Amino acid sequence: MKNRMIKSREEYDIACERVYDIIHSSENPIEPNSMKGEELELLSLMIENYEKENFDIEAPSPIEAKKFRIEQMNLKQAVIVP
C-alpha cells in the first residue's frame, strides 16, 4: 500500500485489510520499530483520521451510557438505585 492519506471508502477498506493481514501474519508480537511495526502504526493513524472525518459517532446520552455500563458489569438496575 502506498503511504498517503486515505481519501475514499475503497482505500479505507484496503488499509483495514492490510492491518488485519499484518496482525494475523505473525506468530510473534510485532516489534514497534520493525518495518511491519512502522507500517502498522502509520496505517492505524491513517485509518483513525479517516474514521474521525467520515464516521460521525455521537456520544451516548447519560442514561444510555449508564445502561451500557450496567450491562457490561452484569448488574441489575436495582443494584444502582440506592
Side-chain angles (χ1 to χ4, degrees):
M1 174 165 191
K2 297 176 185 173
N3 295 331
R4 62 185 193 91
M5 296 305 294
I6 298 171
K7 296 183 180 175
S8 70
R9 180 60 189 242
E10 181 180 357
E11 290 176 353
Y12 170 80
D13 290 340
I14 291 169
C16 289
E17 286 177 27
R18 181 63 186 142
V19 166
Y20 181 87
D21 290 343
I22 291 170
I23 291 171
H24 291 92
S25 68
S26 179
E27 292 180 17
N28 301 319
I30 298 168
E31 295 295 323
N33 295 325
S34 68
M35 288 192 64
K36 280 187 178 183
E38 293 287 328
E39 183 181 8
L40 184 60
E41 183 177 9
L42 178 60
L43 285 169
S44 297
L45 291 171
M46 290 168 30
I47 289 168
E48 179 182 19
N49 184 58
Y50 182 83
E51 288 175 345
K52 282 181 182 177
E53 292 177 1
N54 294 282
F55 301 131
D56 188 26
I57 300 175
E58 295 180 21
S61 71
I63 293 172
E64 289 301 315
K66 288 178 183 178
K67 285 181 181 178
F68 178 73
R69 187 69 175 146
I70 290 167
E71 184 179 312
Q72 276 188 320
M73 297 176 71
N74 291 324
L75 298 174
K76 303 278 187 223
Q77 287 185 359
V79 173
I80 64 163
V81 170

